[in-house]
Amino acid sequence: MITFKLNGQQRTFDGDPDTPLLWVLRDFEKLTGTKYGCGIAQCGACTVHLDGTTRRSCITPTSTVEGSEVITIEGIDGKEAEAVRKAWIAIDVPQCGYCQSGQIMSAVSLLQLTPKPTNEDIDGAMAGNICRCATYHRIRQAIHDAADTMEG
Amino acid sequence: MKSNIALVSVVACIAINAAFAISNISLAQDSPANSLKPAASFQSIADQQQRSVAIFEEAGKVIQHPRCVNCHPATDRPLQSMSMHPHQPPVTRGEAGMGVPGMMCNTCHGPENVKVVAQAETIKSIPGNANWHLAPIEMAWQGKSLGEICNQIKDPQRNGGMSLEKLIEHMAHDDLVGWGWHPGEGREPVPGTQAEFGELIRTWVETGAACPS
């Protein structure tokens, strides 16, 4: 039995401990905002926060989250998340949207650690999040906008 | 000595045909690419400095293996695979060699290697270690000769402030160094064992820690 905190609530999983966290989130917890993209941590669509930092859930055995805190796109909150949400909507960042939950989880993590990021900071943080619609320029702009909003 | 020869024989026989392995042992010359000659086998080299150099050259089969050099890059970007191509995704080392905010090494590399399923035949696992990180830039090995690396790892300014005694300990017992022998399914391990490698480094130090020219 694996016990962990998911979006603020204690959860348990008693299946195969090697089951990737992404499968537990989507199939057992029915939290489908986190997406399957590549299955090998190459695209970033499955990004969640694990104990406060970004983590690719597709290659995370659920056994390794025992006692940890997992935050998904459904549970992310705080001033950085709110600033990102508003900035994303303001300039219509998503196109098809498939990668966007992963993009947002990485962007929020960046702003939590680097409240006023440079282009280089943004490119570094977002390097592992691929967007097949190539919305990269809007993603970068929205992160700057969110940072400006947070700065007040 | 007999047990050492037996061990080498077993390792070699797994990888190549037995006749070739036995031939190598009897000549005490080159060892197969996936094994290490025991440190004791260098005693036949009378000149201590030459012996020390020869021992380090054997250890170099590990040190210059892509499994090791890939995380001792000369730039801010690690390398990947036996072809040593730039890491994908295009990650950067960050201030502490553990990535940058939003894209840390442990965003993808967990505490252990992770098998993946339903992927191409060439993708078997994601490598991992609890201490996964890049070597600091002053410890870069990429593009350097074995002699240059040898002098570098003896220099406390470029080896993390380690004495030679600590260097032996690091090579023989560090868990992240040890990952090289257990790199996960689908990845070629470095030659020999960490114990054999540690013994080579210890013997190299004891014989004067001479470097190849």
Side-chain angles (χ1 to χ4, degrees):
Chain A
M1 183 78 76
I2 298 158
T3 303
F4 61 103
K5 191 178 278 188
L6 176 59
N7 295 335
Q9 294 188 328
Q10 285 296 125
R11 308 299 296 174
T12 58
F13 176 69
D14 61 0
D16 185 338
D18 287 340
T19 305
L21 176 61
L22 177 60
W23 271 249
V24 174
L25 297 177
R26 290 181 57 85
D27 293 353
F28 291 86
E29 298 293 342
K30 308 302 181 188
L31 296 175
T32 54
T34 307
K35 304 301 185 190
Y36 177 91
C38 65
I40 51 171
Q42 287 287 303
C43 78
C46 67
T47 305
V48 299
H49 290 186
L50 177 62
D51 294 331
T53 60
T54 50
R55 178 73 191 161
R56 304 294 190 246
S57 60
C58 73
I59 46 89
T60 301
T62 302
S63 59
T64 64
V65 306
E66 168 67 38
S68 291
E69 179 163 19
V70 177
I71 304 288
T72 70
I73 189 69
E74 291 88 349
I76 191 78
D77 63 6
K79 64 177 182 179
E80 295 85 4
E82 183 61 17
V84 164
R85 189 181 72 83
K86 287 180 177 174
W88 244 246
I89 293 171
I91 63 169
D92 289 328
V93 170
Q95 193 160 313
C96 86
Y98 194 81
C99 70
Q100 292 295 322
S101 66
Q103 303 279 1
I104 288 169
M105 297 307 281
S106 291
V108 170
S109 180
L110 168 65
L111 290 171
Q112 287 172 341
L113 296 165
T114 311
K116 189 66 177 172
T118 63
N119 280 342
E120 186 181 3
D121 293 332
I122 294 171
D123 291 349
M126 309 304 290
N129 289 89
I130 294 173
C131 173
R132 64 183 176 185
C133 307
T135 63
Y136 301 111
H137 290 284
R138 290 204 297 277
I139 289 170
R140 185 199 271 176
Q141 183 60 53
I143 293 173
H144 280 306
D145 293 347
D148 291 343
T149 302
M150 286 164 48
E151 201 172 38
Chain B
M1 184 66 179
K2 281 184 178 176
S3 62
N4 284 338
I5 291 173
L7 177 61
V8 169
S9 179
V10 167
V11 171
C13 287
I14 291 170
I16 61 172
N17 69 67
F20 181 59
I22 292 166
S23 165
N24 272 336
I25 292 162
S26 63
L27 292 171
Q29 296 291 321
D30 293 335
S31 56
N34 63 349
S35 66
L36 292 174
K37 285 167 61 178
S41 70
F42 292 87
Q43 286 174 345
S44 59
I45 302 175
D47 181 89
Q48 180 170 298
Q49 182 167 344
Q50 287 181 10
R51 186 160 73 250
S52 191
V53 168
I55 291 168
F56 192 81
E57 286 174 342
E58 186 68 9
K61 288 164 61 177
V62 171
I63 292 167
Q64 291 193 298
H65 192 284
R67 284 285 91 76
C68 294
V69 177
N70 283 350
C71 287
H72 285 257
T75 72
D76 285 341
R77 191 167 170 190
L79 307 171
Q80 260 179 334
S81 87
M82 292 300 285
S83 67
M84 303 176 74
H85 62 71
H87 187 286
Q88 287 291 352
V91 295
T92 49
R93 70 169 63 242
E95 291 181 7
M98 294 185 174
V100 296
M103 188 59 172
M104 309 296 286
C105 295
N106 64 11
T107 295
C108 302
H109 298 285
E112 295 178 351
N113 302 324
V114 175
K115 286 184 184 177
V116 295
V117 295
Q119 296 292 337
E121 277 301 302
T122 53
I123 303 171
K124 300 287 191 184
S125 65
I126 306 295
N129 180 278
N131 194 29
W132 197 267
H133 68 280
L134 280 189
I137 191 68
E138 65 269 21
M139 298 184 196
W141 293 349
Q142 180 189 2
K144 292 181 177 169
S145 70
L146 189 60
E148 289 171 325
I149 294 172
C150 179
N151 285 302
Q152 181 174 322
I153 68 171
K154 289 197 298 182
D155 179 0
Q157 298 294 317
R158 296 182 291 163
N159 75 1
M162 280 188 280
S163 65
L164 290 178
E165 279 304 312
K166 285 185 177 175
L167 182 66
I168 296 169
E169 172 65 21
H170 174 73
M171 297 297 206
H173 299 296
D174 181 86
D175 192 50
L176 184 55
V177 172
W179 174 88
W181 286 273
H182 306 283
E185 193 174 342
R187 230 165 264 107
E188 178 186 304
V190 295
T193 67
Q194 188 171 16
E196 290 170 335
F197 178 64
E199 186 63 11
L200 283 170
I201 296 296
R202 187 182 68 78
T203 311
W204 167 66
V205 169
E206 288 174 354
T207 52
C211 290
S213 56

